[in-house]
Amino acid sequence: MHWAVIGTGAIGSLMAVNLRRIGEHVSIKPRHTNHSSISIIHNAHSYEFSITTLPLTQPTQIFAAVKAYQVEALLQELSQAPLPEGSSLIISYNGMLDNESMIMPERALHWVTTHGAYRHENEVVHAGMGESWLGWAQVERASSSRPAEVFSALNNALPLLNWSPAINQRRWQKLAVNCLINAFTVIHNCRNGELLQHHLQHDQLVVAQEICWLAQHRGVQLIPEKLVEQAHQVVKNTANNFSSMLMDVRQRRQTEIDYLNGFVARQSAVAGRAAPANEKLWRQVQAISAF
Ligand code: PAF
């Protein structure tokens, strides 16, 4: 199969290298480059990738690991020309978009992961083993069968992959864990593990309760105490890491707060209920990251 990886952040790079390692044909579509190829170092080995440009001319599996604020422009770009028959789009990003059910192409798949990776210059480091879930993005397709070849390649490249007809449930869980960790690391300007010293359980429970109300309103059942427990576990497992949001703030990049706690606050208001704890975190991070 031909793969085009979009997004050369940590996860995109890790997937590109691992697909190549299992013998897939992989090229990369970077956001900007003047070069005719890109090299990524992984485990002291350098991998060279050719550059893909749009429109695609042959059936291609697109693996896009991007920031939430890049999704809309990417989908817009991909919609300029029909994808060749046999292509698919696998997309992965943190958080949720207000209008995503309207803009997601019919055959798009969400890929949700707990693998941890970071990039340092042109090297990618697989910092923490995790697992991933793949499922159809459109709820109407949720029970359709899985695309066997794509599933198998992604599973071989970066195991363990689970097929998930309820991918939305996974996405909400991941959204919740990010909402319960990332903003707090920015506010306290600390590593994930240092959050444990700030006695945040009560604040986190209120944030989680608001998330659960909105999830339930959208047909997804989550339990606030379990989410806080999961976040606690993630904080312990990644104690030495700086969260992606704190890294964004420190490197003066746009954060994903609008798509995490901001999403919860906005969408709760639309559904007729305030979410003051998420609103407060959203505003605090916006203020800290207003460069
Ligand atoms: O965004 C991140 O950094 C990670 O998803 C998380 C869960 C906070 C762990 O570092």
Side-chain angles (χ1 to χ4, degrees):
M1 276 188 291
H2 281 261
W3 290 82
V5 172
I6 302 185
T8 47
I11 291 293
S13 303
L14 186 67
M15 186 56 92
V17 162
N18 280 291
L19 283 166
R20 170 68 61 79
R21 275 157 37 110
I22 61 161
E24 298 287 320
H25 183 282
V26 188
S27 57
I28 285 183
K29 183 189 172 308
R31 272 208 298 160
H32 321 280
T33 186
N34 304 321
H35 302 109
S36 56
S37 67
I38 282 189
S39 63
I40 299 175
I41 297 173
H42 180 59
N43 286 345
H45 188 92
S46 180
Y47 297 82
E48 198 78 11
F49 296 93
S50 58
I51 304 290
T52 301
T53 49
L54 296 179
L56 299 168
T57 51
Q58 60 187 328
T60 303
Q61 312 314 316
I62 303 168
F63 182 88
V66 292
K67 295 282 194 183
Y69 49 80
Q70 295 167 337
V71 170
E72 207 158 348
L74 170 65
L75 296 181
Q76 175 70 29
E77 194 181 353
L78 289 173
S79 69
Q80 298 301 307
L83 295 181
E85 186 68 31
S87 302
S88 51
L89 168 66
I90 299 110
I91 191 159
S92 183
Y93 52 92
N94 279 342
M96 292 187 189
L97 277 62
D98 293 339
N99 58 348
E100 62 183 27
S101 64
M102 272 141 54
I103 61 174
M104 216 37 86
E106 201 201 325
R107 285 191 58 81
L109 295 135
H110 279 298
W111 184 82
V112 178
T113 194
T114 59
H115 281 283
Y118 63 88
R119 257 197 87 134
H120 178 64
E121 294 170 357
N122 66 344
E123 177 172 9
V124 63
V125 178
H126 191 174
M129 289 301 287
E131 58 184 313
S132 312
W133 293 263
L134 185 71
W136 296 110
Q138 295 285 11
V139 198
E140 300 74 39
R141 282 193 76 95
S143 55
S144 309
S145 56
R146 66 187 193 193
E149 256 193 291
V150 167
F151 180 88
S152 153
L154 290 173
N155 185 34
N156 290 338
L158 205 53
L160 176 78
L161 180 64
N162 306 280
W163 176 249
S164 176
I167 195 73
N168 239 353
Q169 176 93 22
R170 285 284 155 202
R171 294 189 65 224
W172 273 95
Q173 272 171 23
K174 180 151 180 161
L175 171 107
V177 168
N178 283 131
C179 285
L180 292 171
I181 300 176
N182 295 29
F184 288 109
T185 63
V186 171
I187 292 159
H188 295 284
N189 190 19
C190 69
R191 289 178 196 268
N192 293 351
E194 288 164 352
L195 287 179
L196 299 172
Q197 299 154 18
H198 290 279
H199 308 294
L200 296 168
Q201 281 87 337
H202 173 72
D203 290 357
Q204 286 176 319
L205 186 60
V206 180
V207 171
Q209 284 163 341
E210 293 176 0
I211 296 170
C212 290
W213 182 86
L214 183 62
Q216 180 159 28
H217 182 76
R218 305 272 187 104
V220 173
Q221 306 296 327
L222 298 170
I223 299 169
E225 291 76 12
K226 279 207 171 149
L227 295 177
V228 173
E229 179 50 40
Q230 268 174 31
H232 188 81
Q233 204 52 52
V234 171
V235 157
K236 286 208 308 210
N237 295 346
T238 61
N240 274 327
N241 295 5
F242 291 107
S243 76
S244 53
M245 191 175 285
L246 181 54
M247 292 305 291
D248 287 339
V249 171
R250 289 189 174 178
Q251 292 172 15
R252 301 176 83 79
R253 293 189 299 245
Q254 182 176 351
T255 74
E256 295 178 301
I257 194 71
D258 291 354
Y259 304 88
L260 294 170
N261 307 86
F263 169 85
V264 176
R266 282 191 311 278
Q267 290 301 314
S268 298
V270 169
R273 186 164 155 143
N278 280 279
E279 170 102 29
K280 186 173 166 197
L281 293 174
W282 178 26
R283 299 297 174 204
Q284 280 178 295
V285 172
Q286 275 186 329
I288 295 170
S289 59
F291 313 117

